[in-house]
Structure formats: structure tokens, C-alpha cells
Amino acid sequence: MKKVTVENAVGLTLCHDITAMRDGFKGAAFKRGHIITEEDIPKLLDLGKRTVFIWEENAGEIHEEDAALRMAAMAPVEGAHYTALSEGKVLLMADERGMFRVDTELLREINAIGDLTISTLPDHFPVEVGDRLASMRIVPLVTQEVQIECAEALCKGKKLLDLRPYKQKKLGVIITGSEIYTGRIQDKFEPVVRAKMQKYPAEILGVTICDDDLGMITGAARKFLDAGADFLIFTGGMSVDPDDLTPSAIRSLGAEIVTHGVPSQPGNMTLVAYLNDVPILGVPGAAISMPTTIFDVLLPQIFSGDRLTKADLIRLGDGGLCRLCKPCHFPNCTFGRY
């Protein structure tokens, strides 16, 4: 764009809004894209505008509003929508509940280009309908179009942002421990897991309490699998004591143990495994006594269909220590951030 006097701007295109404030009115007296006429000159002077900014042909520049729209177009997200332009930016809003994902390396590349800025929620963040997910704008009023073209090239064939909706899961729950099986103490895990499952599209096929018997535990699990379970949760017997059989039972099912133990507290002794495509969680006792544990961090991943890897779980160390806030603010906190 270039700056010209209003007298020399006739026939040229205004590249920014000009605001007027008078007699209780505040708004755009002239809108971006307006072609200036002779009749506009006294009105502009009355607004204190001796000069205006107009588009310079073939300057290779792009306005902030056009830039924001092109940035949105290069990062489409199913299950979300971009708002109308406001103050030179567009916002990405969630239309579904699910897990928000960000290609963080690609995001860094784009934000390093120059005038472009894209700010987002963290990667691996559970979101609700209506949540703001991302904002896109450039810093100045205009920038060189080549910057947008560079970002578009980086995004080609890639998914910068993603919203993965929660999927229906059929759940089997196996609770182990002779003290619970014999009735010496009352089980406290079932009400906890039922309460947590209310947040997700989960059908609980049943809850089975087992003695400390390998055959009984594996038998209960296989019964759930035969009934169509595509998610198993075990609790009890998750420590490293020789008589804690739950990890052995999960192995005997033929499951692949991704990890037994995660760099996260509370929930250090969590076990993550897969039997083909069926996720299996071994949940330690902290889930009963603490409002938030690593159990709460992993559930959104599982219901959104993400397959957890050892590398994913190792990354939990940075942010893996819960601050035990009262009241609990999860997930709007540092805990469980990848």
C-alpha cells in the first residue's frame, strides 16, 4: 500500500476502514475497498484525514483480512468452523467434543515465517463444543503475499490442526483383589469409573470383581471381549509386588504391553496395553483417592481413537507432576500436557 493525499486519491481503492465518531455514532465512515470519489474529499477532511492509504498495484502485498482468510483455508478442520473476520483475525471454534491435535513442528515453521501468527490450544487437549481452538492473523495491516504462499506450501498435504471426536466404546471393567472379592472391604473403584465414563460415549458392559487368581482374571477379560468389548479397564494388583497378578493377566491375554509405569504422579503405576486394536488400561489405586490422575489424561486419547505409544507416554514427564490444586482445574492446568 502507499500513502497519498486525499486530493490525489480520487479513483483509488481504500485499503483500510476509516472510523468516524460523532453525535453518539461510532463506526466505519468508509470501508476498506471503497473507491474514493471527488465527493468524498470534504468528508475525509472533516474526519481529519489529509492522507489515506490505498492499494498500490502489483506491490505483492496482501491485506490482514485476506491473509487471515487464506490462513484459515490452509488449515481446514472437520468438526469445527472459522468465525467471520473481526479485527483482522479469524477464530477456530469447536462444533464437537473431542481431542484437539496440533502439528506442533509445522506450527513452529509457520510462525517463524515473519508476519504470520497462529495461536492454538495445546496439542492433545480435550475440548467441548464452543471452545476456541485457534486464532489466525498477521501482525501488520498488510504483508508480502509471498509469506502466505510459503505457509500454504508448508501445509500442502499436511494437517496443521485436527479435532478428533470421541468414539463410542464398549467397556469391560475388571476389579481384582481378594479383600474385595471376599467382601472384607467394599469396592470403591466402580463408582469412580462410572462417574468418569459419563463424560464419554461409553457403554459399560459390566463390572466383574475377581479374586487374586490368574485364571479368574483372564477369564473375566475374555468374557467381556467375547461380548464385544473394545476397551478394558483393570484395577487392583497394579504394583510390582510378586503377588500382584493383574499385569501378568493382561500379558496372558496376548496383549502388547506399551508400558507399566509412566512418568506421572498421581498414577505412576499405570499400565497401557493393546490387544490388537483394543486398548487396555491398568489403573492404580490413586484413581480412587485423587480427583485427577493420569487415568483422566489418557481417557480422551483412547476415546478419540489415538493409539498411545511409549514415546507419547515418556513425554508426559514434562507436566507429569500434578500440583494438587484445590479445587482441581483439570484440564485447564499444567498436568498431563504432552
Side-chain angles (χ1 to χ4, degrees):
M1 62 183 180
K2 65 180 179 180
K3 185 178 181 180
V4 300
T5 63
V6 294
E7 293 83 0
N8 293 324
V10 174
L12 301 179
T13 302
L14 191 65
C15 70
H16 60 101
D17 291 352
I18 294 178
T19 301
M21 290 183 289
R22 59 176 181 273
D23 301 326
F25 169 81
K26 180 181 179 181
F30 295 92
K31 297 285 290 183
R32 172 191 170 229
H34 175 74
I35 298 175
I36 299 171
T37 66
E38 289 282 356
E39 291 76 18
D40 295 331
I41 294 175
K43 298 176 184 178
L44 290 165
L45 292 173
D46 288 345
L47 292 171
K49 297 295 181 182
R50 295 182 178 179
T51 59
V52 291
F53 288 94
I54 58 91
W55 283 118
E56 186 176 10
E57 293 299 323
N58 303 315
E61 294 178 327
I62 185 170
H63 188 271
E64 62 175 353
E65 292 183 348
D66 296 324
L69 291 173
R70 293 216 359 215
M71 291 164 74
M74 73 188 187
V77 179
E78 189 173 347
H81 72 276
Y82 285 98
T83 62
L85 286 161
S86 176
E87 298 177 329
K89 67 177 181 293
V90 293
L91 297 174
L92 180 65
M93 309 294 292
D95 296 327
E96 297 185 78
R97 300 179 68 243
M99 177 62 59
F100 182 58
R101 297 300 311 273
V102 182
D103 185 332
T104 54
E105 183 56 39
L106 179 57
L107 181 65
R108 281 191 288 269
E109 289 184 70
I110 293 171
N111 281 330
I113 288 174
D115 295 330
L116 279 60
T117 65
I118 301 177
S119 52
T120 75
L121 292 183
D123 186 22
H124 288 100
F125 198 86
V127 298
E128 302 292 328
V129 174
D131 281 355
R132 299 196 313 166
L133 307 180
S135 175
M136 300 190 175
R137 74 178 304 173
I138 60 172
V139 175
L141 182 63
V142 297
T143 190
Q144 292 296 308
E145 188 175 12
V146 67
Q147 294 194 16
I148 298 295
E149 293 171 343
C150 180
E152 290 170 334
L154 287 172
C155 288
K156 190 173 183 180
K158 298 180 181 178
K159 188 171 283 191
L160 174 63
L161 308 174
D162 194 16
L163 177 55
R164 302 179 185 176
Y166 297 138
K167 301 175 182 177
Q168 183 76 31
K169 292 285 185 186
K170 293 183 178 181
L171 172 64
V173 182
I174 300 100
I175 299 169
T176 68
S178 61
E179 70 281 17
I180 300 172
Y181 181 75
T182 58
R184 295 185 65 87
I185 67 170
Q186 182 180 1
D187 168 59
K188 296 181 180 179
F189 183 71
E190 181 177 347
V192 169
V193 73
R194 287 191 180 278
K196 292 185 185 298
M197 289 306 116
Q198 290 180 3
K199 300 178 182 178
Y200 302 98
E203 177 188 350
I204 299 178
L205 298 178
V207 178
T208 301
I209 297 175
C210 296
D211 200 356
D212 291 322
D213 179 275
L214 191 63
M216 182 181 291
I217 298 169
T218 56
R222 293 191 188 282
K223 186 175 180 180
F224 281 129
L225 292 169
D226 291 341
D230 51 12
F231 181 21
L232 295 178
I233 295 178
F234 291 78
T235 189
M238 289 306 306
S239 76
V240 293
D241 294 343
D243 57 349
D244 284 340
L245 300 177
T246 304
S248 297
I250 294 172
R251 287 187 179 89
S252 69
L253 289 171
E256 173 195 355
I257 306 294
V258 178
T259 186
H260 182 192
V262 293
S264 175
Q265 295 180 16
N268 254 152
M269 299 307 297
T270 296
L271 183 147
V272 178
Y274 286 90
L275 180 60
N276 299 320
D277 293 327
V278 176
I280 299 174
L281 289 185
V283 182
I288 296 173
S289 58
M290 308 294 291
T292 300
T293 69
I294 196 63
F295 185 33
D296 300 272
V297 174
L298 299 182
L299 283 175
Q301 323 287 332
I302 288 171
F303 277 94
S304 63
D306 282 359
R307 190 178 182 103
L308 295 158
T309 68
K310 181 74 171 180
D312 290 332
L313 298 165
I314 288 172
R315 283 197 295 271
L316 287 168
D318 179 13
L321 183 63
C322 178
R323 299 179 68 193
L324 305 179
C325 300
K326 298 185 184 304
C328 177
H329 307 294
F330 182 83
N332 300 314
C333 65
T334 60
F335 183 60
R337 297 277 65 82
Y338 282 57

